[in-house]
Amino acid sequence: MMWKFEIPATSRTPEVMFDFAENHLKLAGESYPEDVTEFYKPVFQALDAYLDKLGKGSCRFEIELIYLNSSSAKAIMMLMDKLDAAAANGASIDVFWYYDPEDDTMQELGEEFGEDLVNATFHLEKMPS
């Protein structure tokens, strides 16, 4: 299994930094790719392969998005569902949603995502300035 999965950020897509050896996964930047399915498909595949091997291990997933469109929000929801399912199977999953304190929309979106997680632990935090 690959130990890292990375996609550099573009003006329309977030940076994806999955360090599987450290159990530290992160999305950062903006997410409004022209084709959301195309962009997130390898991200889902990498995450699925990782979570299959994680078992009862622990994982930290950080989301630090400045902006995302509604299609990206659906993709993030699918990521959250995968993490929550892994937590339901005994993994210790911590999801950190970082938002700009001046951005009410991203804070509210984080709160909504957090409410949907049943098994994973959700942390809503202000971005470090």
Side-chain angles (χ1 to χ4, degrees), residues 5-26:
F5 176 81
E6 296 177 349
I7 301 174
T10 69
S11 60
R12 301 178 67 101
T13 60
E15 179 179 25
V16 179
M17 292 172 291
F18 288 179
D19 186 340
F20 298 126
E22 296 293 326
N23 298 305
H24 184 212
L25 318 181
K26 183 174 181 178

Side-chain angles (χ1 to χ4, degrees), residues 59-123:
C59 164
R60 177 184 178 108
F61 196 99
E62 296 178 7
I63 300 169
E64 200 173 296
L65 295 173
I66 302 159
Y67 172 79
L68 71 163
N69 62 6
S70 56
S71 304
S72 293
K74 287 185 186 124
I76 300 296
M77 196 71 243
M78 289 168 67
L79 285 173
M80 296 278 201
D81 288 345
K82 291 173 184 295
L83 293 165
D84 209 42
N89 289 328
S92 173
I93 308 278
D94 281 281
V95 177
F96 289 81
W97 180 277
Y98 292 100
Y99 66 93
D100 180 329
E102 294 177 11
D103 189 344
D104 294 342
T105 308
M106 290 305 282
Q107 181 180 352
E108 287 161 17
L109 194 57
E111 288 166 0
E112 286 173 31
F113 280 135
E115 287 166 10
D116 291 331
L117 289 176
V118 179
N119 304 289
T121 306
F122 188 79
H123 309 266

